[in-house]
Amino acid sequence: MWVEPRKAFVKAHGAARGERTAKRFEAAAKAFRADRHEEARKILVPIVKSFQNVADVRELYGLVLYRLGNFEAALEELEAFRELSGTTEQHPVLADCHRALKNWTDVDALWEELGEVSPDASLVTEGRIVVAGAMADRGEVPQAIMFLEKGWKLPKRPQPHHLRRAYALADLFERAGRKPRARELFAWVQTHDPDLADVTHRATTLN
């Protein structure tokens, strides 16, 4: 059951204390967006202990732990979010945690669930990138390229998820020794978003 955070805080602690908790939660979210992940974690720890049934709290804490590289703990939080919210919104992150832990069967299962639900294109793309990465991790680089290339063409008006997919595909091409194709895609991504990861460096130095 999805519970709106502020309402949950106020219901549990009363108006004044509940509003203070809401402000701390908002501060944690702001720190997370600014990549101050340890700061966000410290703010969230007491909130999570008190509000185990609030999906947004478990989601944010899980994402913070994921960014900190604590994949097992992140899985626990994001699985709780999944149960509370009933959504697939964080399936790509869940899959990437399982990928980091080499839980290949779980990566595939989460991808199948995404396919069954057919969420928006951005979410599906993120899931596809993770699955392709898991294939490459297992030494299946040609298969990963085929999987990530399926249905792919350069869009005229690329969205962020298009650029992330192109970057991931370029990385796979480089790993496969197909450097001209990798350079082409890195250069295309750089044209549209020169600040995406290390794309500018890779587009200009790949020989």
Side-chain angles (χ1 to χ4, degrees):
M1 179 180 178
W2 196 296
V3 182
E4 200 278 325
R6 186 180 298 274
K7 290 182 180 179
F9 301 153
V10 170
K11 182 178 180 180
H13 292 160
R17 186 181 171 192
E19 286 298 329
R20 288 196 297 271
T21 302
K23 288 181 179 179
R24 289 201 303 275
F25 183 69
E26 290 167 4
K30 183 177 180 180
F32 172 75
R33 291 191 295 270
D35 294 329
R36 302 194 305 272
H37 302 128
E38 182 57 27
E39 177 185 337
R41 186 195 68 79
K42 289 179 179 178
I43 296 171
L44 285 169
V45 167
I47 299 175
V48 174
K49 287 180 179 179
S50 298
F51 295 95
Q52 294 279 300
N53 66 331
V54 179
D56 293 70
V57 171
R58 305 299 293 274
E59 178 185 31
L60 181 57
Y61 191 46
L63 292 174
V64 167
L65 293 170
Y66 167 73
R67 293 290 183 85
L68 289 170
N70 192 342
F71 300 114
E72 290 187 359
L75 275 174
E76 181 178 346
E77 298 303 315
L78 293 174
E79 283 290 356
F81 165 77
R82 176 188 185 183
E83 290 295 322
L84 290 165
S85 67
T87 74
T88 58
E89 287 180 22
Q90 296 302 338
H91 269 40
V93 182
L94 275 167
D96 207 31
C97 289
H98 282 298
R99 174 190 170 191
L101 297 168
K102 302 186 186 324
N103 300 331
W104 312 124
T105 301
D106 293 297
V107 173
D108 294 338
L110 287 163
W111 171 247
E112 287 181 10
E113 286 185 20
L114 272 179
E116 291 171 0
V117 175
S118 297
D120 64 56
S122 176
L123 196 60
V124 171
T125 297
E126 295 299 334
R128 185 177 289 277
I129 290 169
V130 172
V131 174
M135 289 178 177
D137 290 348
R138 286 174 282 182
E140 302 169 359
V141 176
Q143 295 91 326
I145 290 173
M146 289 179 61
F147 180 78
L148 199 53
E149 266 195 314
K150 186 177 180 180
W152 167 256
K153 62 180 180 179
L154 295 179
K156 294 181 180 179
R157 297 179 180 178
Q159 301 299 310
H161 65 278
H162 295 132
L163 299 175
R164 288 193 291 273
R165 183 173 180 176
Y167 178 94
L169 191 53
D171 180 72
L172 290 173
F173 279 128
E174 183 178 1
R175 292 172 69 173
R178 298 169 62 180
K179 293 184 178 180
R181 184 67 173 123
R183 278 196 300 269
E184 177 186 339
L185 277 177
F186 280 135
W188 181 79
V189 174
Q190 182 192 18
T191 298
H192 295 283
D193 186 0
D195 296 322
L196 179 62
D198 59 350
V199 69
T200 296
H201 173 75
R202 298 183 77 172
T204 55
T205 62
L206 183 61
N207 297 316

